Amino acid sequence: RTEAYKKALDDVEGQVVLDVGAGTGILSLFAARAGARHVFAVEASDMADVALEIVRANGLEEKITVIRSAIEYIDLQKDLGGLRVDVLVSEWMGFYLLHECMLPSVIFARDNFLKGEGSLRPYKAALYACPTSARKLHDQRIGVFGKDLYGYVFDGCVWSYYSQPIVSFLRSQIGSKCSPCSGGPGAKFPR
């Protein structure tokens, strides 16, 4: 994924770039190396200090300005020198695309700081789903709440479990030549 971002920033020469949720600043570094006129790296967490160290270690403090703030608190005049940006980049995707909760911040940045003819990167995403059955996992994590636990009823807890995703790696039992989500209409998958 990082390589795809690097390629997406190859054409920013002479442009002003805004990196929302910059983290370590890797996307900002890519933009600076590709010749961006200036890069604003906005990061709300303590990672802004790490990003600033990385920027300095790479001698790019004249090209990259690290701002420790949530994007919603950035002032166009004070923080960005009154500049609207040519390119807005953000690695806003968490698992299931939206779980990191960055999309509203990216949209805010687009609406408030991106030039009318500017570009948002990435500008689209696709989410593919594949129905599966994980009965054993369900029974281990959630199924216990429908049962008597030590003589007590815990049914009220079940919705808190359903409100949070379970993220884990499932081993494929169908071999490396085939993905559980591959195949078109009528595809047959091993049970």
Side-chain angles (χ1 to χ4, degrees):
R1 182 166 79 181
T2 305
E3 187 64 30
Y5 275 95
K6 184 177 182 298
K7 288 177 185 174
L9 293 167
D10 280 346
D11 66 344
V12 298
E13 186 172 350
Q15 298 182 62
V16 178
V17 177
L18 175 60
D19 180 0
V20 177
T24 62
I26 187 67
L27 303 183
S28 297
L29 296 169
F30 290 157
R33 183 175 285 166
R37 181 167 44 132
H38 198 80
V39 181
F40 295 98
V42 178
E43 174 56 49
S45 76
D46 291 342
M47 284 303 292
D49 300 330
V50 174
L52 184 57
E53 276 185 48
I54 292 169
V55 166
R56 287 179 178 154
N58 286 281
L60 292 168
E61 54 269 71
E62 296 299 316
K63 271 238 187 198
I64 301 173
T65 301
V66 178
I67 303 169
R68 184 175 180 175
S69 174
I71 192 70
E72 293 82 359
Y73 298 113
I74 295 293
D75 180 274
L76 183 65
Q77 295 303 319
K78 181 175 83 74
D79 298 313
L80 303 184
L83 295 173
R84 289 205 173 264
V85 300
D86 302 294
V87 176
L88 186 141
V89 65
S90 180
E91 191 170 356
W92 54 265
M93 297 77 100
F95 51 87
Y96 310 120
L97 283 183
L98 303 175
H99 199 274
E100 201 164 300
C101 298
M102 282 289 298
L103 190 56
S105 296
V106 172
I107 291 169
F108 177 88
R110 179 201 65 192
D111 293 347
N112 290 279
F113 305 118
L114 187 63
K115 289 180 180 176
E117 69 281 1
S119 69
L120 177 62
R121 301 179 191 180
Y123 67 93
K124 67 179 180 177
L127 176 65
Y128 298 92
C130 179
T132 61
S133 176
R135 183 70 179 182
K136 186 176 177 183
L137 179 64
H138 176 273
D139 289 347
Q140 288 173 344
R141 303 267 177 99
I142 299 169
V144 296
F145 292 110
K147 298 177 183 162
D148 180 335
L149 293 174
Y150 307 102
Y152 299 100
V153 176
F154 283 85
D155 289 352
C157 297
V158 75
W159 292 111
S160 66
Y161 273 82
Y162 279 119
S163 68
Q164 295 295 318
I166 297 172
V167 179
S168 63
F169 295 95
L170 302 175
R171 291 190 183 145
S172 172
Q173 295 184 1
I174 57 177
S176 60
K177 293 183 181 180
C178 156
S179 161
C181 294
S182 65
K188 301 215 187 292
F189 300 104
R191 293 187 186 267

